Structures are given as C-alpha cells and as structure tokens.
Amino acid sequence: MSAVKVWRATDYIRMPWKNGGGSTEEITRDAGTGLDGFGWRLSIADIGESGGFSTFAGYQRVITVIKGAGMVLTVDGEEQRGLLPLQPFAFSGESDVSCRLITGPIRDFNLIYSPQHYHARLQWMDGVQRFFTTAQTVLVFSVADEVKVLDQKLGHHDCLQIDGNTGLLDVSVAGRCCIIELTQRG
C-alpha cells in the first residue's frame, strides 16, 4: 500500500548552504539529517548573487530555475547555455560549478540523488496529464497556484510525495508541475 504525504511550502525548513553562501528550503528527503546521509533530497534555493555552488561528491544534481530571469552556469570551467525558467539542467555533484545571474536574484528547484542507490526521472508538465509509473517514490512539485493530483490540491511550491509503490501507479495531474520518479537500485 502506497503512502501519500503532502508537504506545504509554508512548512519547509530553511538551512544554510554547505558552502555558507546562501540558504535552502528543504522540501523532503529519503533519510539522514543535515547535509549528509540522504539517498535523495528535494530543495528550493534562493540565489541572490553570482557565485559558487556547494559540492556533493557521489551525487547527481538536477537544477531548474523557478523564479527570476535565469542564470548561466559554468561547470568544470566550461560555460553552459543560459538556464532559463523551467529548463532543467543535470550535472555531477562533484563538479566545480558557479553561476552568473542574468538580471538579478533567482529561486531554483533542486533534486540531488545518489545514482549508486537510485534511478531518477525528472520532467516538467503543464495542463492535464496522465502517466503510469512503477517508481517506488513519486514526487509532484507545484509551480502553479493550484495543481490537482490524485485527490489532493497543491498550492504554489507544495509537494506531494507517494512512497512504497509496488505496482503500476496511474497518476493524473492538472497544472504546471515537476514530476520526479525515484526507484531504488538493487
């Protein structure tokens, strides 16, 4: 039997960045406390100025701008294309990463996960969508004023988490949101 939990944006815990350069609101994670011991973690970061990112050796990261004009990332010395709102970008957590803000502060949405322990799939959806998944954990993160998923209504930046799925799950969503599917390896 799958367990469903709704995380409300008003309840997220703010914590300092690993490198001390800013702060993050943690949405949810699979295990651990602080900045260690998790297999996957979702968070929202506020970036007020250009600068370096924290490193997370052994992890994969997927970042998406959710507020502001965007940023340009430099990953291991190589400048990437401009990262505009709702365009996800994946990179290794051990890479040397810095950002240059395009026109001012931004807010970004982050998935950090251990590829040794999890297979992850992330996609942005808009409108009414239906999908089927065998993932053990499914996360639906809202970037709209209202997103409907299962029998729940999510507000802006709320997140629905389904854990313990063991079959083929039929999920319908209505609204602009990010869907993350996580399956434990081995």
Side-chain angles (χ1 to χ4, degrees):
M1 181 80 178
S2 298
V4 177
K5 168 83 174 140
V6 175
W7 303 100
R8 299 292 178 194
T10 53
D11 298 329
Y12 297 157
I13 298 166
R14 186 167 289 280
M15 58 180 52
W17 286 354
K18 198 172 179 180
N19 70 5
S23 65
T24 292
E25 289 179 357
E26 184 173 273
I27 300 168
T28 183
R29 63 166 64 208
D30 70 332
T33 57
L35 297 172
D36 297 305
F38 60 87
W40 61 265
R41 175 180 175 233
L42 280 186
S43 63
I44 300 169
D46 292 299
I47 302 178
E49 57 188 39
S50 299
F53 280 30
S54 301
T55 57
F56 285 88
Y59 289 90
Q60 181 72 26
R61 298 180 68 174
V62 184
I63 189 170
T64 307
V65 174
I66 56 173
K67 184 178 179 185
M71 62 182 161
V72 176
L73 295 179
T74 299
V75 180
D76 294 328
E78 191 173 313
E79 189 169 282
Q80 307 296 310
R81 62 172 167 74
L83 190 58
L84 303 177
L86 303 185
Q87 295 178 345
F89 181 79
F91 58 94
S92 170
E94 52 204 50
S95 289
D96 179 24
V97 180
S98 63
C99 76
R100 179 175 45 82
L101 300 178
I102 293 174
T103 62
I106 64 156
R107 202 155 214 238
D108 64 39
F109 174 68
N110 298 277
L111 167 65
I112 302 176
Y113 69 96
S114 166
Q116 291 180 324
H117 297 103
Y118 287 93
H119 169 76
R121 180 173 186 235
L122 179 147
Q123 58 187 325
W124 287 90
M125 295 185 173
D126 198 0
V128 177
Q129 302 281 330
R130 182 179 182 195
F131 66 96
F132 296 88
T133 181
T134 57
Q136 294 157 342
T137 299
V138 178
L139 301 151
V140 180
F141 175 75
S142 168
V143 290
D145 289 336
E146 182 178 283
V147 169
K148 294 179 184 173
V149 57
L150 302 177
D151 59 350
Q152 301 286 332
K153 286 184 182 177
L154 302 179
H156 196 69
H157 294 173
D158 289 349
C159 185
L160 179 131
Q161 180 173 342
I162 303 166
D163 277 317
N165 179 41
T166 57
L168 184 62
L169 187 63
D170 181 353
V171 181
S172 294
V173 296
R176 183 174 284 177
C177 60
C178 184
I179 308 294
I180 297 168
E181 299 166 81
L182 293 155
T183 303
Q184 215 162 356
R185 295 189 186 269

